Amino acid sequence: MLDKISVVLVETTHPANIGSVARAMKTMGLCQLVLVKPYDFPSARAKWLASGAVDILDKARVVDTLDEAISDCQLVLGTSARLRRLPWPMISANDAGRKAVEFAASGQNVAVVFGRESKGLTNEELQICNHHIFIPADEVYPVLNIACAVQIICYELRMAYLARSGQTQYDPSSLFRMPVSTSAWDEPLSTYSEMQGFYGHLEKTLLDIGFYDPNNSRQLLSRIARIFQRTRLDKMEVNILRGILSAVGKLKPKS
């Protein structure tokens, strides 16, 4: 179950943090680490900080873009310590753990994305996440080292996994559910890449019919994306919507 969940680090500057993250992951039973343009990796310092989790570093996947890191994921959770101008679905670390494990249990890929040490994730990166995880640190000093943040999320993932496996006193009925449980859904949920293809198709169609003007409707596409991020489309639904867009594109304007 936990093998379907990846921890994604974006442009990590300090190799020691990568090693500490690997150690935090292994203590909670996670093993899929993806590094997006790390500043210094592989690194002896990363291995030193990883201690007994060097095996996670050895098989870590290194990619050039966040898009590549999450291309096969049906659920993407981004961590953010800042409130954004455009509100996005927010969940607690506890709920994030439950939701991620439910998706993983049904065979779907999940990514939990952590940003740069200095400034976290950009607004553009956060907008491709289905939900934002917020850790309510104390207002006096709300600064978490990236490895500490990863440890908190991995702990919640493990607790949700144990609860689902019947290994704790947690009430399984309290696990996060969609209106219909994803484990009983009739079609697999769409991947990140499939959703990006849909968004591109939608943008082109809206431009073609004159509904979308990039110069005057800057947040339109972000708000539309937010609708579908909340809804969680499956593969068949994406195909249906793209079929509708294709049909609209073939319509000729009336003379």
Side-chain angles (χ1 to χ4, degrees):
M1 208 181 298
L2 295 179
D3 288 349
K4 304 293 290 184
I5 303 174
S6 299
V7 171
V8 180
L9 305 183
V10 178
E11 296 182 5
T12 310
T13 302
H14 303 290
N17 284 333
I18 298 175
S20 296
V21 164
R23 187 172 182 178
M25 291 172 58
K26 189 163 186 178
T27 60
M28 295 294 128
L30 285 96
C31 61
Q32 305 297 332
L33 176 61
V34 184
L35 305 173
V36 180
K37 291 185 68 175
Y39 182 78
D40 182 9
F41 188 84
S43 165
R45 185 161 179 77
K47 289 190 173 184
W48 180 57
L49 267 294
S51 188
V54 174
D55 57 316
I56 291 181
L57 295 182
D58 289 342
K59 65 177 184 179
R61 186 159 59 98
V62 180
V63 297
D64 291 327
T65 66
L66 179 57
D67 285 4
E68 185 179 353
I70 63 176
S71 63
D72 64 343
C73 293
Q74 282 87 3
L75 176 66
V76 181
L77 304 172
T79 56
S80 174
R82 294 174 288 158
L83 297 177
R84 306 292 163 163
R85 184 175 65 177
L86 179 63
W88 212 258
M90 298 281 292
I91 54 177
S92 67
N94 183 265
D95 285 340
R98 295 173 180 176
K99 185 168 190 177
V101 167
E102 181 185 6
F103 272 64
S106 61
Q108 299 175 87
N109 295 317
V110 178
V112 185
V113 185
F114 296 83
R116 303 152 189 83
E117 293 99 329
S118 59
K119 58 183 178 181
L121 296 168
T122 66
N123 286 339
E124 290 75 16
E125 290 165 343
L126 282 167
Q127 285 184 7
I128 64 177
C129 300
N130 301 114
H131 296 274
H132 298 168
I133 306 172
F134 182 71
I135 299 174
D138 191 83
E139 294 179 358
V140 176
Y141 188 64
V143 181
L144 283 172
N145 174 276
I146 186 170
C148 293
V150 171
Q151 187 73 78
I152 291 170
I153 303 302
C154 287
Y155 168 80
E156 295 294 354
L157 290 168
R158 180 153 192 85
M159 293 305 292
Y161 160 72
L162 293 174
R164 194 175 186 92
S165 304
Q167 300 180 51
T168 72
Q169 297 302 312
Y170 279 84
D171 179 9
S173 66
S174 67
L175 293 178
F176 179 91
R177 290 186 178 86
M178 293 177 68
V180 177
S181 175
T182 57
S183 61
W185 204 247
D186 61 336
E187 291 284 338
L189 293 183
S190 58
T191 65
Y192 166 77
S193 293
E194 290 165 342
M195 288 303 298
Q196 291 305 112
F198 166 67
Y199 291 142
H201 194 170
L202 178 61
E203 179 180 4
K204 181 180 182 304
T205 302
L206 295 179
L207 283 168
D208 290 344
I209 65 176
F211 184 82
Y212 171 51
D213 180 356
N215 296 318
N216 296 318
S217 307
R218 295 181 180 179
Q219 287 195 348
L220 176 64
L221 295 181
S222 294
R223 290 185 179 277
I224 291 175
R226 185 171 63 174
I227 294 172
F228 291 109
Q229 297 286 34
R230 289 202 310 267
T231 305
R232 302 301 293 118
L233 299 177
D234 65 33
K235 292 178 181 291
M236 180 63 71
E237 290 164 343
V238 169
N239 289 337
I240 291 171
L241 289 174
R242 294 198 66 171
I244 294 172
L245 292 176
S246 295
V248 169
K250 295 176 182 178
L251 295 176
K252 295 182 179 179
K254 296 181 179 179
S255 56

